[in-house]
Amino acid sequence: MLNDINDPSELRQLTRAQLPQLAQELRSFVIDSVARTGGHLSSNLGTVELTIALHYVFDTPNDRIIWDVGHQTYPHKILTGRREQMGSLRQLGGISGFPRRDESPYDTFGTAHSSTSISAALGMALAARTKGENRHAIAVIGDGSMTAGMAFEALNNGGVHDDINLLVILNDNDMSISPPVGALNRYLARLMSGQFYAKARHVGKSMLPGPVLELAKRLEEHAKGMVVPATMFEEFGFNYIGPIDGHDLDSLIPTLQNLKHLKGPQFLHVVTKKGQGYKLAEADPVLYHGPGKFNPAVGIKPAAASKPTYTQVFGDWLCDMAAQDSKLVGITPAMREGSGMVRFEQLFPERYYDVGIAEQHAVTFAAGMACEGLKPVVAIYSTFLQRAYDQLIHDVALQNLDVTFALDRAGLVGADGATHAGNYDMAYLRCIPNMVVMAASDENECRQMLTTAYQYPGPAAVRYPRGAGIGAAVDTTLEPLPLGKGELRRQGKRIAILAFGSMLAPALTAAEKLDASVANMRFVKPLDVELLLQLASTHEVLVTVEEGAIMGGAGSAVSEALAAAGVVMPILHLGLPDRFIDHGDVAILLAQCGLDGDGIRQSIEQRFGRSAGQAAA
């Protein structure tokens, strides 16, 4: 049945009785597809029935569906003409693991960061009203994404518009399907989403005297309160329906059909289960959240021991430093596993704080703790710190508070693509007064930099890439680096390459063929100006290399320092180009950007001539 569906219009030709079979086929296809390519699994298995119901009831793409985060959209992609492309998922030149407007008209809004869907859907709903167009805007948001302030800002704004076609669906996969989500609740959901109930509420508002109307409203809220978790969403101005079983098509479809005919902001609460239909993922949805390739019949086998990742280096350092200093507290915005804080939570539960998907709150929360003499460490992906930029400046740096930022996933991140790449932190951090910014070139230096940042009595950030490093031996002591000091790693002639962070290894490779000097600069801010001027005075050409945006990045800092010192000399800045870089293997992407050993050498030779190693032009 699935093979005959190439777009939702064909899905809508099926009978209701055929949909459970389609759901079974779709779920099997998702499992087999992710097993071959890797990707997100648990979240996608949880949205199979919901995806079918939405495309069955609504006239997509005329009706807009906005998927929050978007890592649960594989069923959506399969049903909207991309079934045959799933073999290229998250691979170079293939389709994205998240919704993208330039990929399909059914991807009505690009997502990958959380909590943006309600704002976007509200904007689309009001735009339709302004243009006189009759279409629905549906935001599908998970319970985790509802922890972010932006979601509540959108609810607060949306609830005042009673003449728009806006539906917010809370996909609650953290709540168990308890007795209220049964036959009685299914009946009540249909009743409350039906026309009779809606008209009765409208007539009641216009006919009942004030005190009687207020009593009726209180009785209604009390009645709903017996079968729903809260009436908070009603206070925002939304008509709340649910919770209903998100895997029960006989509950989903009639409820959605009823809601389709209601005006004003609607809120549907559905309960789903991560990993639904695949026992291994149901048992451990975290393990199967974003697996690599695996055998569906066997499941994910424990990986063989290999060199530690930067994330593991951070996790070990955090536990070691916490054992030494009782003032240390660890903060994560819902990324415990991703940031390597599982063991820290186990060893120091009273000093571990997961604030939910709320990056802005996480940073200001850390600032408040720092004001009281604690030493907070905020473990956060580079791309997610972007969401708390005002708090970083206004609440931490302006007050020069002692907060350490551990920036995981700095630079390119591979299969997750442009939305998750940490390409901009060096540029957006180094312009902030009081900040110290470091870039780790290997695993041991990462640990040293974390200690340096922690001991610095002000805001400091350490950036490190995703995955494993070069395999450097990690010293288990907690020794800091000299603040603002780099090191000369190779003495050469005429050309000096200034490498920042992960670019040290390819810079050394390029230098061997060019007979160039190589400096491991370590600090983006404060820059080692003494080392810089020494290299400028003894070389004819300077080259900066960074795994970050060239514009405003570490290379720009070097040029600014040279200009301030009145030094004029040839300089070449290498880094990530001024464009968003798609998903693919990191090594291939870096090579395409000219940031592997050969690429660095070729860029230098192209700029300064093929005999650059012998005589700089």
Short mmCIF file of all heavy atoms in Angstrom, two decimals, residues 182-209:
data_model
loop_
_atom_site.label_atom_id
_atom_site.label_comp_id
_atom_site.label_asym_id
_atom_site.label_seq_id
_atom_site.Cartn_x
_atom_site.Cartn_y
_atom_site.Cartn_z
N GLY A 182 -8.87 6.77 27.34
CA GLY A 182 -9.58 5.56 26.97
C GLY A 182 -10.87 5.89 26.28
O GLY A 182 -11.03 6.95 25.67
N ALA A 183 -11.86 5.00 26.38
CA ALA A 183 -13.11 5.17 25.66
C ALA A 183 -13.85 6.44 26.10
O ALA A 183 -14.36 7.20 25.27
CB ALA A 183 -13.99 3.94 25.87
N LEU A 184 -13.92 6.67 27.43
CA LEU A 184 -14.61 7.85 27.91
C LEU A 184 -13.94 9.11 27.41
O LEU A 184 -14.60 10.05 26.95
CB LEU A 184 -14.65 7.84 29.45
CG LEU A 184 -15.23 9.10 30.10
CD1 LEU A 184 -16.68 9.30 29.68
CD2 LEU A 184 -15.12 9.00 31.62
N ASN A 185 -12.60 9.14 27.49
CA ASN A 185 -11.90 10.34 27.07
C ASN A 185 -12.02 10.55 25.57
O ASN A 185 -12.08 11.67 25.10
CB ASN A 185 -10.44 10.26 27.48
CG ASN A 185 -9.75 11.61 27.37
OD1 ASN A 185 -9.03 11.86 26.43
ND2 ASN A 185 -10.02 12.48 28.33
N ARG A 186 -12.02 9.46 24.81
CA ARG A 186 -12.21 9.58 23.36
C ARG A 186 -13.56 10.23 23.07
O ARG A 186 -13.67 11.11 22.22
CB ARG A 186 -12.14 8.21 22.70
CG ARG A 186 -12.33 8.25 21.19
CD ARG A 186 -12.48 6.86 20.59
NE ARG A 186 -11.31 6.04 20.80
CZ ARG A 186 -11.20 4.79 20.38
NH1 ARG A 186 -12.22 4.22 19.74
NH2 ARG A 186 -10.10 4.10 20.59
N TYR A 187 -14.59 9.81 23.78
CA TYR A 187 -15.92 10.38 23.60
C TYR A 187 -15.93 11.86 23.96
O TYR A 187 -16.47 12.70 23.24
CB TYR A 187 -16.93 9.62 24.46
CG TYR A 187 -18.28 10.30 24.54
CD1 TYR A 187 -19.16 10.25 23.46
CD2 TYR A 187 -18.66 11.00 25.67
CE1 TYR A 187 -20.39 10.89 23.51
CE2 TYR A 187 -19.89 11.63 25.74
CZ TYR A 187 -20.75 11.58 24.66
OH TYR A 187 -21.95 12.21 24.72
N LEU A 188 -15.29 12.21 25.09
CA LEU A 188 -15.26 13.60 25.50
C LEU A 188 -14.49 14.47 24.52
O LEU A 188 -14.84 15.62 24.27
CB LEU A 188 -14.66 13.71 26.91
CG LEU A 188 -15.52 13.17 28.05
CD1 LEU A 188 -14.71 13.13 29.34
CD2 LEU A 188 -16.76 14.02 28.23
N ALA A 189 -13.37 13.93 23.99
CA ALA A 189 -12.59 14.69 23.01
C ALA A 189 -13.42 14.99 21.77
O ALA A 189 -13.41 16.10 21.24
CB ALA A 189 -11.33 13.92 22.63
N ARG A 190 -14.17 13.99 21.31
CA ARG A 190 -15.04 14.22 20.15
C ARG A 190 -16.11 15.25 20.48
O ARG A 190 -16.42 16.13 19.68
CB ARG A 190 -15.69 12.92 19.72
CG ARG A 190 -14.75 11.91 19.08
CD ARG A 190 -15.51 10.70 18.61
NE ARG A 190 -14.62 9.65 18.13
CZ ARG A 190 -15.04 8.48 17.69
NH1 ARG A 190 -16.32 8.20 17.66
NH2 ARG A 190 -14.17 7.58 17.26
N LEU A 191 -16.67 15.13 21.67
CA LEU A 191 -17.73 16.05 22.08
C LEU A 191 -17.21 17.47 22.14
O LEU A 191 -17.82 18.41 21.61
CB LEU A 191 -18.27 15.61 23.45
CG LEU A 191 -19.38 16.50 24.04
CD1 LEU A 191 -20.64 16.38 23.20
CD2 LEU A 191 -19.67 16.09 25.49
N MET A 192 -16.05 17.67 22.80
CA MET A 192 -15.53 19.02 22.99
C MET A 192 -14.99 19.63 21.70
O MET A 192 -14.84 20.84 21.61
CB MET A 192 -14.45 19.01 24.07
CG MET A 192 -15.00 18.77 25.47
SD MET A 192 -13.78 19.02 26.78
CE MET A 192 -12.72 17.63 26.54
N SER A 193 -14.65 18.79 20.72
CA SER A 193 -14.16 19.31 19.45
C SER A 193 -15.28 19.45 18.42
O SER A 193 -15.04 19.90 17.30
CB SER A 193 -13.05 18.41 18.89
OG SER A 193 -13.57 17.13 18.57
N GLY A 194 -16.49 19.06 18.79
CA GLY A 194 -17.60 19.08 17.84
C GLY A 194 -18.27 20.44 17.72
O GLY A 194 -18.10 21.33 18.55
N GLN A 195 -19.12 20.58 16.68
CA GLN A 195 -19.79 21.85 16.40
C GLN A 195 -20.81 22.20 17.49
O GLN A 195 -20.95 23.37 17.86
CB GLN A 195 -20.48 21.77 15.04
CG GLN A 195 -19.53 21.76 13.86
CD GLN A 195 -18.88 23.12 13.65
OE1 GLN A 195 -19.40 24.14 14.07
NE2 GLN A 195 -17.71 23.11 13.03
N PHE A 196 -21.52 21.20 17.99
CA PHE A 196 -22.55 21.49 18.99
C PHE A 196 -21.92 22.13 20.23
O PHE A 196 -22.41 23.13 20.75
CB PHE A 196 -23.29 20.20 19.38
CG PHE A 196 -24.31 20.40 20.47
CD1 PHE A 196 -25.56 20.92 20.18
CD2 PHE A 196 -24.00 20.10 21.79
CE1 PHE A 196 -26.48 21.13 21.18
CE2 PHE A 196 -24.92 20.30 22.80
CZ PHE A 196 -26.18 20.82 22.49
N TYR A 197 -20.82 21.57 20.68
CA TYR A 197 -20.15 22.09 21.87
C TYR A 197 -19.63 23.51 21.61
O TYR A 197 -19.79 24.41 22.43
CB TYR A 197 -19.01 21.16 22.26
CG TYR A 197 -18.22 21.60 23.48
CD1 TYR A 197 -18.72 21.37 24.76
CD2 TYR A 197 -16.99 22.22 23.34
CE1 TYR A 197 -18.01 21.77 25.88
CE2 TYR A 197 -16.27 22.62 24.46
CZ TYR A 197 -16.79 22.39 25.72
OH TYR A 197 -16.07 22.79 26.82
N ALA A 198 -19.05 23.71 20.43
CA ALA A 198 -18.51 25.03 20.09
C ALA A 198 -19.62 26.06 20.02
O ALA A 198 -19.47 27.19 20.52
CB ALA A 198 -17.76 24.95 18.77
N LYS A 199 -20.75 25.70 19.39
CA LYS A 199 -21.87 26.65 19.28
C LYS A 199 -22.48 26.94 20.65
O LYS A 199 -22.86 28.07 20.94
CB LYS A 199 -22.92 26.09 18.33
CG LYS A 199 -22.47 26.08 16.86
CD LYS A 199 -23.54 25.48 15.96
CE LYS A 199 -23.08 25.49 14.50
NZ LYS A 199 -24.09 24.86 13.61
N ALA A 200 -22.54 25.90 21.46
CA ALA A 200 -23.10 26.10 22.81
C ALA A 200 -22.24 27.08 23.60
O ALA A 200 -22.77 27.94 24.32
CB ALA A 200 -23.20 24.76 23.53
N ARG A 201 -20.95 26.97 23.48
CA ARG A 201 -20.06 27.90 24.19
C ARG A 201 -20.27 29.32 23.69
O ARG A 201 -20.31 30.29 24.44
CB ARG A 201 -18.60 27.50 23.99
CG ARG A 201 -18.24 26.17 24.61
CD ARG A 201 -16.79 25.80 24.32
NE ARG A 201 -15.86 26.49 25.20
CZ ARG A 201 -14.78 27.13 24.80
NH1 ARG A 201 -14.48 27.18 23.52
NH2 ARG A 201 -13.98 27.71 25.66
N HIS A 202 -20.42 29.45 22.34
CA HIS A 202 -20.59 30.78 21.75
C HIS A 202 -21.92 31.40 22.19
O HIS A 202 -21.98 32.57 22.59
CB HIS A 202 -20.53 30.69 20.22
CG HIS A 202 -20.74 32.00 19.53
ND1 HIS A 202 -19.78 32.99 19.54
CD2 HIS A 202 -21.80 32.48 18.83
CE1 HIS A 202 -20.23 34.04 18.87
NE2 HIS A 202 -21.45 33.75 18.43
N VAL A 203 -22.99 30.62 22.14
CA VAL A 203 -24.31 31.12 22.55
C VAL A 203 -24.29 31.47 24.03
O VAL A 203 -24.84 32.49 24.46
CB VAL A 203 -25.40 30.07 22.24
CG1 VAL A 203 -26.73 30.49 22.87
CG2 VAL A 203 -25.55 29.92 20.74
N GLY A 204 -23.63 30.63 24.82
CA GLY A 204 -23.56 30.90 26.25
C GLY A 204 -22.91 32.23 26.55
O GLY A 204 -23.35 32.98 27.43
N LYS A 205 -21.87 32.56 25.79
CA LYS A 205 -21.18 33.83 26.01
C LYS A 205 -22.07 35.02 25.72
O LYS A 205 -21.98 36.06 26.36
CB LYS A 205 -19.92 33.89 25.14
CG LYS A 205 -18.80 32.96 25.57
CD LYS A 205 -17.61 33.07 24.63
CE LYS A 205 -16.50 32.11 25.04
NZ LYS A 205 -15.34 32.16 24.11
N SER A 206 -22.94 34.86 24.72
CA SER A 206 -23.76 36.01 24.30
C SER A 206 -25.08 36.10 25.06
O SER A 206 -25.68 37.17 25.14
CB SER A 206 -24.05 35.91 22.80
OG SER A 206 -24.73 34.70 22.51
N MET A 207 -25.56 34.97 25.62
CA MET A 207 -26.90 34.95 26.23
C MET A 207 -26.89 35.00 27.75
O MET A 207 -27.78 35.56 28.35
CB MET A 207 -27.64 33.68 25.78
CG MET A 207 -27.86 33.60 24.26
SD MET A 207 -29.05 34.83 23.66
CE MET A 207 -30.56 34.21 24.39
N LEU A 208 -25.88 34.39 28.37
CA LEU A 208 -25.92 34.28 29.82
C LEU A 208 -25.52 35.59 30.49
O LEU A 208 -24.59 36.27 30.03
CB LEU A 208 -24.98 33.16 30.29
CG LEU A 208 -25.37 31.73 29.89
CD1 LEU A 208 -24.29 30.76 30.33
CD2 LEU A 208 -26.71 31.34 30.50
N PRO A 209 -26.19 35.96 31.58
CA PRO A 209 -25.76 37.13 32.36
C PRO A 209 -24.35 36.90 32.91
O PRO A 209 -23.91 35.77 33.08
CB PRO A 209 -26.79 37.20 33.49
CG PRO A 209 -27.94 36.37 33.04
CD PRO A 209 -27.38 35.31 32.14
#
